[in-house]
Amino acid sequence: MQDLYPSRQTASPELHPRIDPVVHGRWHPGAPLTEAQTEHFDARGYLVLENLFSPAEVAALQAETAQLLADPAALEAETMILEPNSGEVRSIFRIHEQNPLMARLAADSRLAGVARFLLDDEVYIHQSRLNYKPGFRGREFYWHSDFETWHVEDGMPRMRALSMSVLLAENTPHNGPLMLIPGSHRNYLTCVGKTPENHYRSSLRKQEYGVPDAESLTAMVRDFGIAAPLGKPGTVIIFDCNLMHGSNGNITPLPRTNAFMVYNAVSNRLADPFGPPTPRPPFIAARNAEPLTICAGPLVDHGG
Amino acid sequence: MQDLYPSRQTASPELHPRIDPVVHGRWHPGAPLTEAQTEHFDARGYLVLENLFSPAEVAALQAETAQLLADPAALEAETMILEPNSGEVRSIFRIHEQNPLMARLAADSRLAGVARFLLDDEVYIHQSRLNYKPGFRGREFYWHSDFETWHVEDGMPRMRALSMSVLLAENTPHNGPLMLIPGSHRNYLTCVGKTPENHYRSSLRKQEYGVPDAESLTAMVRDFGIAAPLGKPGTVIIFDCNLMHGSNGNITPLPRTNAFMVYNAVSNRLADPFGPPTPRPPFIAARNAEPLTICAGPLVDHGG
């Protein structure tokens, strides 16, 4: 398969126009987003949806999450990322196949229906995880385009995927919320592969695989600025697979928790990786592209 | 001298009411702050002053700062804090005695006059520094009360000091701005001294000297919230010596730079440290309490 988005192959970063659309379908009155929302996603690469879920649904997701993080014994060991020092659970991958409520969330029409509309195809979960970032010592997550990694390391051919973060704790300005560079999704920034011999030591430290360079990031932020959507638990942040994003660390007492789902178009299922020959394991990048059966109605039985 | 604010002596943190006033003088119509500003400082422990300096003054401070950071050869070696890897200058201490413009800034009536009013005494510079926090890899600064350190390690007897940060780069919500816990200055949170034997490893990591405990910080943030004043270059943030503060790291391309001056009342000059017997060196904590001669008028000659 032709590599339409080569990266990590040149000694200098390159910025190429995106080949694929952002909104793959065409807006119509029956679409699950308004025309303005659709245009916002197209132009800025992200969208914030509030009040999608009822308080009872949010409470149920939070309770399930707390239980999963506190007692992960029933889960597959390889899907859990633990804190090296304390052994606390930081992330649980492939959560949509390990927990019924998370499976139901992934298939919910309010998420999967929007993904199907924007990607104009049946969709499946490329990656899912539950993230818990504690207060006081939450770590930063450096800038990156997910697509660059998914393409090079996992073999995702085209830009026809998106992520949804369902906030399960409040995003405040101070607890290291997700930061996005709106508009950055419209170009593809390649990452440097072989570090030239004459780079300075300070450059060397940053020239790891898949890490965008400082000069390009500076230009992007100068041109587009930074958005850091805030929101109550239950807020959903949708962002394009090629949007540059990251987050600062968090010394506040306020933890961050979210359920994270990556939807990919079934027509865009993974091929062989375009970089290293061995793809990452399926719990990080699903190779089975069985389309989701989308579910309407509330996530949980309200007991009525 | 009696230790009115003992810390690092007990196995559990303690919260004691502050003995000293916050605003030591009494507001009057000729004061350099409005009555509302004075009450804000008293109640919340900080105050933001904008447009104190002309654009020419701000530009002069920025230019001087850039030159000092780029070519520190003329400065005392011990006053410079360098980045371990790159050798770049991160902070220059005792800047008010090493650079004429910084000396003039420290003595400026718009800063020192306000300090003299709030502390109701002649003032001197307890500590000064120029801070440069780069973009992309700016480090966090964990929560602390300055007074706790100044008292225990430097021998500052009472709470009759304050800090002023003159922003020389913009504070945005995203570049790790100074975070304050408004109202936290009204109590004195002691830090733990000897770590009990039966603590967990995760606790041990946090139980360093002079570090406030997580439980107390959680209660403070729950009761008071967090303020992170934003502002253009030239903005001045004043905060009480006992206000709990810190900052997150910074992955954005936007550096943070400020000139930082700590004013202490001459009547509150340093005694012997209340903790370890040897005080920190004078470039970190001045032991000569010669009062500042306050200067009015512009910082720089406008060439007219």
Side-chain angles (χ1 to χ4, degrees):
Chain A
M1 187 180 288
Q2 193 192 346
D3 185 352
L4 293 172
Y5 293 106
S7 182
R8 309 188 200 180
Q9 297 183 11
T10 56
S12 305
E14 294 170 6
L15 196 66
H16 299 292
R18 175 183 183 127
I19 299 164
D20 298 301
V22 179
V23 175
H24 292 259
R26 184 178 272 276
W27 185 82
H28 55 89
L33 296 177
T34 67
E35 192 166 14
Q37 287 175 321
T38 307
E39 283 169 3
H40 187 285
F41 185 79
D42 193 41
R44 297 175 66 78
Y46 77 99
L47 195 61
V48 180
L49 301 177
E50 290 176 309
N51 305 316
L52 281 191
F53 298 106
S54 70
E57 289 177 309
V58 174
L61 289 168
Q62 289 176 316
E64 194 84 359
T65 298
Q67 198 175 324
L68 284 165
L69 292 167
D71 179 24
L75 304 172
E76 294 166 60
E78 71 166 0
T79 65
M80 285 182 290
I81 310 298
L82 307 180
E83 174 71 22
N85 292 308
S86 67
E88 281 182 287
V89 179
R90 286 287 166 268
S91 293
I92 305 172
F93 278 82
R94 212 157 73 88
I95 195 70
H96 73 292
E97 290 184 340
Q98 299 195 74
N99 178 273
L101 183 59
M102 295 299 159
R104 178 61 187 75
L105 177 68
D108 193 274
S109 61
R110 289 164 287 185
L111 303 185
V114 169
R116 189 169 61 177
F117 161 63
L118 289 171
L119 303 176
D120 195 27
D121 197 356
E122 296 292 305
V123 295
Y124 72 98
I125 297 292
H126 167 69
Q127 180 188 99
S128 72
R129 55 181 204 267
L130 208 53
N131 292 314
Y132 176 70
K133 300 200 180 184
F136 300 114
R137 55 190 189 282
R139 295 211 201 95
E140 67 175 41
F141 212 122
Y142 199 71
W143 300 107
H144 62 288
S145 150
D146 288 324
F147 179 78
E148 198 273 348
T149 299
W150 298 342
H151 181 73
V152 174
E153 299 188 16
D154 301 334
M156 185 182 284
R158 306 292 288 256
M159 293 184 187
R160 198 168 183 172
L162 52 79
S163 297
M164 296 200 187
S165 175
V166 182
L167 304 188
L168 299 175
E170 186 169 355
N171 260 10
T172 82
H174 312 306
N175 67 348
L178 177 68
M179 296 192 291
L180 313 162
I181 304 181
S184 61
H185 63 305
R186 295 196 154 273
N187 290 293
Y188 181 60
L189 176 63
T190 71
C191 298
V192 167
K194 294 165 195 155
T195 305
E197 285 178 340
N198 58 353
H199 266 212
Y200 298 109
R201 186 184 300 190
S202 63
S203 305
L204 281 171
R205 282 192 301 144
K206 307 304 289 183
Q207 298 291 356
E208 296 162 17
Y209 288 110
V211 177
D213 65 294
E215 201 175 331
S216 302
L217 288 171
T218 302
M220 280 184 183
V221 170
R222 183 194 62 220
D223 294 347
F224 299 125
I226 292 173
L230 308 180
K232 299 274 178 205
T235 299
V236 178
I237 303 172
I238 311 179
F239 59 100
D240 177 77
C241 61
N242 187 44
L243 192 70
M244 199 63 76
H245 63 286
S247 61
N248 280 322
N250 173 25
I251 66 163
T252 79
L254 311 165
R256 284 180 292 160
T257 311
N258 60 65
F260 199 87
M261 306 282 174
V262 179
Y263 295 91
N264 190 23
V266 294
S267 59
N268 194 39
R269 64 178 298 166
L270 300 188
D272 291 335
F274 295 92
T278 309
R280 297 190 299 173
F283 77 88
I284 296 178
R287 306 198 74 82
N288 178 351
E290 192 68 37
L292 283 173
T293 302
I294 295 181
C295 302
L299 281 182
V300 285
D301 187 343
H302 288 258
Chain B
M1 187 180 286
Q2 194 193 347
D3 185 353
L4 292 173
Y5 293 106
S7 181
R8 310 189 200 179
Q9 298 183 11
T10 57
S12 304
E14 295 170 6
L15 196 65
H16 299 293
R18 175 184 182 125
I19 299 164
D20 297 303
V22 178
V23 176
H24 292 259
R26 184 179 274 276
W27 186 82
H28 55 90
L33 296 176
T34 67
E35 192 166 11
Q37 286 175 321
T38 307
E39 283 169 2
H40 187 285
F41 185 80
D42 192 42
R44 296 174 66 77
Y46 77 99
L47 194 61
V48 179
L49 300 178
E50 291 176 308
N51 305 316
L52 282 191
F53 300 105
S54 71
E57 288 177 310
V58 174
L61 288 168
Q62 289 176 315
E64 193 84 359
T65 298
Q67 199 176 324
L68 283 165
L69 292 167
D71 179 21
L75 303 172
E76 294 165 61
E78 71 165 0
T79 65
M80 285 183 290
I81 309 299
L82 306 179
E83 174 71 24
N85 293 307
S86 67
E88 280 182 287
V89 179
R90 286 287 167 268
S91 293
I92 306 173
F93 278 82
R94 211 157 72 89
I95 195 70
H96 74 293
E97 291 184 340
Q98 300 195 72
N99 179 273
L101 184 59
M102 296 299 159
R104 178 62 186 76
L105 178 67
D108 194 274
S109 61
R110 290 164 288 185
L111 304 184
V114 169
R116 189 169 58 177
F117 161 63
L118 289 171
L119 303 177
D120 195 28
D121 197 357
E122 297 293 304
V123 295
Y124 72 98
I125 297 292
H126 167 68
Q127 181 188 97
S128 73
R129 55 183 204 264
L130 207 54
N131 292 315
Y132 176 71
K133 299 202 179 182
F136 300 115
R137 54 190 190 283
R139 294 209 203 98
E140 67 175 39
F141 213 122
Y142 198 71
W143 300 106
H144 62 289
S145 150
D146 289 322
F147 180 78
E148 197 273 345
T149 299
W150 297 342
H151 181 73
V152 173
E153 299 188 17
D154 300 335
M156 184 181 284
R158 306 292 289 255
M159 294 185 186
R160 197 166 182 174
L162 52 79
S163 296
M164 296 200 187
S165 175
V166 181
L167 304 188
L168 298 174
E170 186 169 354
N171 259 11
T172 82
H174 312 309
N175 68 346
L178 176 68
M179 296 191 291
L180 313 163
I181 305 182
S184 61
H185 63 305
R186 295 196 153 271
N187 290 292
Y188 181 60
L189 177 63
T190 71
C191 297
V192 167
K194 294 166 194 154
T195 306
E197 285 179 344
N198 60 350
H199 266 212
Y200 298 109
R201 186 183 301 189
S202 63
S203 305
L204 281 172
R205 282 192 301 145
K206 306 305 287 182
Q207 299 289 358
E208 296 162 16
Y209 288 110
V211 177
D213 65 294
E215 201 175 329
S216 302
L217 288 170
T218 301
M220 280 184 184
V221 169
R222 183 194 63 219
D223 294 346
F224 299 125
I226 291 172
L230 309 180
K232 299 276 179 204
T235 299
V236 178
I237 304 171
I238 310 178
F239 59 101
D240 177 76
C241 61
N242 187 44
L243 192 71
M244 199 61 76
H245 63 286
S247 62
N248 279 321
N250 173 25
I251 67 164
T252 78
L254 312 166
R256 284 180 292 159
T257 312
N258 59 64
F260 199 87
M261 306 284 173
V262 179
Y263 294 91
N264 190 23
V266 294
S267 59
N268 194 38
R269 65 178 297 168
L270 301 188
D272 291 336
F274 295 92
T278 310
R280 298 190 299 174
F283 76 88
I284 295 179
R287 305 199 74 82
N288 177 349
E290 192 68 37
L292 283 172
T293 302
I294 296 181
C295 301
L299 282 182
V300 285
D301 187 344
H302 287 260

